[in-house]
Amino acid sequence: MTPGHSNIGFHSLRVCSTGRGPATQPADKLKACMMADFDFSMDIEFLFPYINAVVKKAQLYDNPSYIRFGFDHTLCVLYPDRGLASPFDDTEDARDFMVRLMAFLNDMYHRKAQIAPRYKIFRQTAITQILKLLPQTNCNDCGFNTCMAFAAMLGRQQTLPGRCPHISRPVQEKAIFPVLDNNGKLLSTITLDIDNTQNVSDLDSAKQYIENLEKKNCAIIRHEKRSDG
Ligand code: SF4
Protein backbone atom coordinates (compact mmCIF):
# COMPACT_ATOMS: atom_id res chain seq x y z
CA MET A 1 0.00 0.00 0.00
CA THR A 2 1.32 3.48 -0.84
CA PRO A 3 0.62 5.97 1.95
CA GLY A 4 -1.22 9.26 1.66
CA HIS A 5 0.00 12.08 3.88
CA SER A 6 0.23 10.15 7.14
CA ASN A 7 3.55 9.89 8.92
CA ILE A 8 5.38 6.64 9.39
CA GLY A 9 5.22 5.58 13.00
CA PHE A 10 5.71 2.46 15.11
CA HIS A 11 3.97 0.58 17.90
CA SER A 12 4.39 -2.57 19.96
CA LEU A 13 8.08 -1.90 20.71
CA ARG A 14 9.62 -4.92 22.39
CA VAL A 15 13.17 -4.75 23.72
CA CYS A 16 14.85 -7.98 24.72
CA SER A 17 18.30 -9.45 25.26
CA THR A 18 20.10 -10.76 22.19
CA GLY A 19 21.33 -13.67 24.28
CA ARG A 20 24.83 -12.37 24.92
CA GLY A 21 23.79 -10.69 28.16
CA PRO A 22 22.56 -12.28 31.35
CA ALA A 23 24.05 -15.69 30.78
CA THR A 24 27.53 -14.48 29.90
CA GLN A 25 28.06 -11.15 31.66
CA PRO A 26 27.56 -9.73 35.14
CA ALA A 27 24.57 -7.36 35.44
CA ASP A 28 26.73 -4.20 35.69
CA LYS A 29 28.33 -5.01 32.33
CA LEU A 30 25.09 -5.43 30.41
CA LYS A 31 25.95 -2.92 27.74
CA ALA A 32 24.69 -2.91 24.16
CA CYS A 33 23.25 -6.39 24.16
CA MET A 34 19.57 -5.59 23.68
CA MET A 35 17.52 -5.90 20.50
CA ALA A 36 14.39 -3.97 19.55
CA ASP A 37 11.48 -5.49 17.67
CA PHE A 38 8.61 -3.23 16.53
CA ASP A 39 5.67 -2.91 14.15
CA PHE A 40 5.19 -0.09 11.65
CA SER A 41 1.99 1.95 11.50
CA MET A 42 1.89 1.43 7.72
CA ASP A 43 3.43 -0.71 5.00
CA ILE A 44 6.83 0.86 4.20
CA GLU A 45 7.99 -1.49 1.43
CA PHE A 46 7.72 1.36 -1.10
CA LEU A 47 10.59 3.11 0.75
CA PHE A 48 13.07 0.25 0.44
CA PRO A 49 14.50 1.30 -2.98
CA TYR A 50 15.03 4.84 -1.64
CA ILE A 51 16.85 3.59 1.46
CA ASN A 52 18.84 1.34 -0.88
CA ALA A 53 19.80 4.41 -2.93
CA VAL A 54 20.75 6.66 -0.04
CA VAL A 55 22.33 4.45 2.63
CA LYS A 56 25.84 3.23 1.88
CA LYS A 57 26.16 -0.58 1.92
CA ALA A 58 22.40 -1.14 2.32
CA GLN A 59 21.34 -4.64 1.25
CA LEU A 60 17.92 -5.10 -0.39
CA TYR A 61 16.43 -8.61 -0.50
CA ASP A 62 13.37 -10.12 -2.14
CA ASN A 63 11.28 -13.20 -1.30
CA PRO A 64 10.76 -12.14 1.43
CA SER A 65 11.16 -8.43 0.89
CA TYR A 66 13.36 -6.71 3.47
CA ILE A 67 16.26 -4.29 3.70
CA ARG A 68 19.33 -4.47 5.96
CA PHE A 69 21.43 -1.39 6.68
CA GLY A 70 23.39 0.48 9.30
CA PHE A 71 21.88 3.65 10.72
CA ASP A 72 23.35 5.64 13.59
CA HIS A 73 25.79 2.83 14.49
CA THR A 74 22.87 0.39 14.71
CA LEU A 75 22.00 -2.52 12.46
CA CYS A 76 18.43 -2.31 11.13
CA VAL A 77 16.50 -5.04 9.36
CA LEU A 78 13.21 -3.65 8.07
CA TYR A 79 10.34 -5.70 6.68
CA PRO A 80 7.28 -4.02 5.09
CA ASP A 81 5.28 -4.12 8.34
CA ARG A 82 7.86 -4.56 11.11
CA GLY A 83 11.53 -4.13 11.97
CA LEU A 84 14.43 -5.26 14.11
CA ALA A 85 17.34 -3.16 15.37
CA SER A 86 20.34 -3.76 17.62
CA PRO A 87 22.39 -3.32 19.73
CA PHE A 88 21.01 -1.17 22.55
CA ASP A 89 22.00 -0.67 26.16
CA ASP A 90 18.42 -0.71 27.44
CA THR A 91 14.81 0.16 26.61
CA GLU A 92 15.42 3.91 26.91
CA ASP A 93 18.31 3.69 24.47
CA ALA A 94 16.08 1.76 22.04
CA ARG A 95 13.24 4.31 22.40
CA ASP A 96 15.61 7.22 21.66
CA PHE A 97 16.87 5.37 18.61
CA MET A 98 13.33 4.71 17.36
CA VAL A 99 12.63 8.47 17.39
CA ARG A 100 15.73 9.03 15.20
CA LEU A 101 14.84 6.12 12.90
CA MET A 102 11.27 7.37 12.37
CA ALA A 103 12.59 10.88 11.64
CA PHE A 104 14.95 9.36 9.07
CA LEU A 105 12.18 7.31 7.41
CA ASN A 106 9.75 10.22 7.32
CA ASP A 107 12.43 12.51 5.91
CA MET A 108 13.08 9.92 3.20
CA TYR A 109 9.35 9.68 2.50
CA HIS A 110 9.02 13.45 2.06
CA ARG A 111 12.18 13.71 -0.09
CA LYS A 112 11.60 10.66 -2.27
CA ALA A 113 10.69 12.75 -5.34
CA GLN A 114 14.30 14.01 -5.32
CA ILE A 115 15.88 10.56 -4.86
CA ALA A 116 16.48 8.14 -7.72
CA PRO A 117 15.34 4.77 -6.31
CA ARG A 118 17.77 1.86 -6.49
CA TYR A 119 16.08 -1.50 -7.08
CA LYS A 120 19.23 -3.58 -7.05
CA ILE A 121 18.71 -6.77 -5.05
CA PHE A 122 21.68 -7.87 -2.97
CA ARG A 123 22.98 -11.34 -3.86
CA GLN A 124 25.93 -12.79 -2.01
CA THR A 125 28.23 -15.15 -3.91
CA ALA A 126 30.19 -17.82 -2.03
CA ILE A 127 33.88 -16.99 -1.61
CA THR A 128 34.80 -20.54 -2.71
CA GLN A 129 33.09 -19.92 -6.06
CA ILE A 130 34.85 -16.59 -6.63
CA LEU A 131 38.26 -18.08 -5.74
CA LYS A 132 37.88 -20.43 -8.73
CA LEU A 133 38.09 -17.34 -10.97
CA LEU A 134 41.30 -16.01 -9.41
CA PRO A 135 44.90 -17.20 -9.94
CA GLN A 136 45.40 -17.10 -6.14
CA THR A 137 48.89 -15.61 -6.38
CA ASN A 138 48.14 -12.92 -3.74
CA CYS A 139 49.96 -10.48 -6.02
CA ASN A 140 48.25 -7.40 -4.48
CA ASP A 141 47.63 -5.75 -7.90
CA CYS A 142 44.00 -5.19 -6.83
CA GLY A 143 45.02 -3.41 -3.64
CA PHE A 144 43.99 -6.35 -1.42
CA ASN A 145 46.69 -8.35 0.35
CA THR A 146 45.22 -11.71 -0.62
CA CYS A 147 42.90 -13.18 -3.24
CA MET A 148 40.75 -14.41 -0.34
CA ALA A 149 40.25 -10.82 0.92
CA PHE A 150 39.38 -9.67 -2.60
CA ALA A 151 36.94 -12.59 -3.03
CA ALA A 152 35.26 -11.80 0.29
CA MET A 153 34.67 -8.19 -0.73
CA LEU A 154 33.58 -9.14 -4.25
CA GLY A 155 31.12 -11.66 -2.81
CA ARG A 156 29.53 -8.83 -0.82
CA GLN A 157 29.58 -6.53 -3.89
CA GLN A 158 31.94 -4.12 -2.18
CA THR A 159 34.48 -4.14 -4.99
CA LEU A 160 34.42 -4.79 -8.73
CA PRO A 161 35.75 -7.83 -10.66
CA GLY A 162 37.75 -5.48 -12.92
CA ARG A 163 40.03 -4.51 -10.02
CA CYS A 164 41.80 -7.86 -10.47
CA PRO A 165 43.64 -7.57 -13.80
CA HIS A 166 44.07 -11.37 -13.86
CA ILE A 167 40.39 -12.35 -13.79
CA SER A 168 38.89 -13.59 -17.08
CA ARG A 169 36.42 -11.52 -19.03
CA PRO A 170 32.79 -12.58 -18.46
CA VAL A 171 31.37 -14.85 -21.16
CA GLN A 172 28.04 -13.04 -20.91
CA GLU A 173 26.74 -9.84 -19.30
CA LYS A 174 23.17 -8.92 -18.42
CA ALA A 175 21.33 -5.77 -17.42
CA ILE A 176 18.11 -6.04 -15.39
CA PHE A 177 15.59 -3.22 -15.78
CA PRO A 178 12.63 -2.53 -13.43
CA VAL A 179 8.99 -2.51 -14.56
CA LEU A 180 7.17 -0.09 -12.20
CA ASP A 181 3.55 0.81 -11.53
CA ASN A 182 2.37 4.45 -11.35
CA ASN A 183 3.44 4.66 -7.69
CA GLY A 184 6.96 3.51 -8.44
CA LYS A 185 6.38 0.03 -6.98
CA LEU A 186 8.42 -2.70 -8.62
CA LEU A 187 6.10 -5.05 -10.54
CA SER A 188 8.64 -7.18 -12.37
CA THR A 189 11.98 -7.00 -14.13
CA ILE A 190 13.15 -7.45 -17.72
CA THR A 191 16.60 -8.88 -18.37
CA LEU A 192 18.56 -7.88 -21.46
CA ASP A 193 21.82 -9.38 -22.67
CA ILE A 194 24.52 -6.72 -23.05
CA ASP A 195 27.47 -6.93 -25.41
CA ASN A 196 30.25 -4.86 -23.85
CA THR A 197 33.03 -6.30 -26.01
CA GLN A 198 33.48 -3.15 -28.09
CA ASN A 199 33.43 -0.85 -25.02
CA VAL A 200 36.02 -2.97 -23.22
CA SER A 201 38.20 -3.11 -26.31
CA ASP A 202 37.94 0.72 -26.73
CA LEU A 203 38.83 1.15 -23.06
CA ASP A 204 41.87 -1.16 -23.42
CA SER A 205 43.04 0.79 -26.51
CA ALA A 206 42.65 4.11 -24.66
CA LYS A 207 44.58 2.71 -21.66
CA GLN A 208 47.36 1.43 -23.94
CA TYR A 209 47.52 4.82 -25.70
CA ILE A 210 47.86 6.69 -22.37
CA GLU A 211 50.57 4.27 -21.16
CA ASN A 212 52.56 4.79 -24.38
CA LEU A 213 52.22 8.58 -24.05
CA GLU A 214 53.44 8.43 -20.44
CA LYS A 215 56.47 6.34 -21.49
CA LYS A 216 57.33 8.80 -24.28
CA ASN A 217 56.93 11.71 -21.86
CA CYS A 218 59.31 10.10 -19.34
CA ALA A 219 61.84 9.41 -22.12
CA ILE A 220 61.72 13.07 -23.25
CA ILE A 221 62.19 14.33 -19.65
CA ARG A 222 65.18 11.97 -19.13
CA HIS A 223 66.69 13.11 -22.43
CA GLU A 224 66.27 16.82 -21.50
CA LYS A 225 67.87 16.24 -18.07
CA ARG A 226 70.89 14.54 -19.69
CA SER A 227 71.21 17.45 -22.20
CA ASP A 228 71.06 20.04 -19.37
CA GLY A 229 73.71 18.13 -17.43
S1 SF4 B 1 44.98 -8.83 -8.24
FE1 SF4 B 1 43.84 -10.73 -8.48
S2 SF4 B 1 45.39 -12.33 -8.29
FE2 SF4 B 1 46.28 -10.47 -7.42
S3 SF4 B 1 45.77 -10.54 -5.20
FE3 SF4 B 1 44.15 -9.39 -6.22
S4 SF4 B 1 42.61 -10.92 -6.64
FE4 SF4 B 1 44.48 -12.05 -6.25
Side-chain angles (χ1 to χ4, degrees):
M1 180 184 76
T2 302
H5 296 292
S6 52
N7 278 337
I8 299 165
F10 71 96
H11 59 88
S12 309
L13 177 67
R14 300 163 291 269
V15 182
C16 58
S17 165
T18 57
R20 290 182 289 119
T24 56
Q25 297 179 41
D28 61 338
K29 289 195 176 164
L30 284 181
K31 282 282 178 190
C33 60
M34 308 296 277
M35 183 179 77
D37 177 352
F38 49 90
D39 295 334
F40 285 115
S41 59
M42 60 172 26
D43 187 323
I44 66 152
E45 188 177 5
F46 69 98
L47 269 189
F48 290 176
Y50 298 92
I51 299 172
N52 201 28
V54 167
V55 181
K56 216 172 160 190
K57 296 186 184 171
Q59 298 174 355
L60 178 63
Y61 295 84
D62 56 356
N63 299 320
S65 174
Y66 69 97
I67 188 159
R68 188 177 190 276
F69 61 99
F71 172 71
D72 215 9
H73 310 293
T74 304
L75 174 66
C76 300
V77 180
L78 306 187
Y79 294 87
D81 59 346
R82 67 191 180 89
L84 301 166
S86 77
F88 299 110
D89 291 341
D90 49 34
T91 303
E92 197 184 331
D93 189 22
R95 282 197 180 282
D96 289 348
F97 173 81
M98 289 305 294
V99 171
R100 296 193 295 278
L101 179 64
M102 292 306 123
F104 166 73
L105 294 176
N106 280 294
D107 176 63
M108 179 110 6
Y109 170 51
H110 292 296
R111 286 193 307 116
K112 69 188 180 62
Q114 291 106 51
I115 301 169
R118 183 169 177 257
Y119 294 93
K120 186 173 183 314
I121 299 292
F122 180 80
R123 307 249 186 255
Q124 187 150 2
T125 309
I127 295 175
T128 47
Q129 292 297 313
I130 297 174
L131 281 174
K132 290 180 190 169
L133 302 173
L134 305 174
Q136 301 193 45
T137 54
N138 300 331
C139 67
N140 189 231
D141 287 349
C142 57
F144 291 87
N145 286 336
T146 62
C147 294
M148 178 74 86
F150 178 80
M153 292 301 273
L154 189 56
R156 292 199 293 269
Q157 299 166 26
Q158 288 174 17
T159 189
L160 295 169
R163 279 193 62 177
C164 171
H166 314 293
I167 201 168
S168 315
R169 293 260 167 79
V171 290
Q172 197 177 3
E173 291 181 66
K174 293 179 184 296
I176 303 175
F177 295 90
V179 178
L180 310 173
D181 69 10
N182 290 339
N183 295 315
K185 184 175 164 57
L186 185 68
L187 296 177
S188 61
T189 55
I190 293 179
T191 304
L192 298 179
D193 282 337
I194 303 291
D195 186 356
N196 253 332
T197 318
Q198 190 59 45
N199 292 343
V200 172
S201 157
D202 288 349
L203 208 63
D204 283 348
S205 304
K207 216 168 132 189
Q208 190 67 50
Y209 178 71
I210 290 168
E211 280 173 10
N212 287 342
L213 266 186
E214 282 173 351
K215 277 182 198 156
K216 279 182 192 163
N217 217 5
C218 288
I220 291 169
I221 291 169
R222 273 200 302 273
H223 179 72
E224 282 177 349
K225 276 186 181 165
R226 272 202 295 272
S227 304
D228 287 348

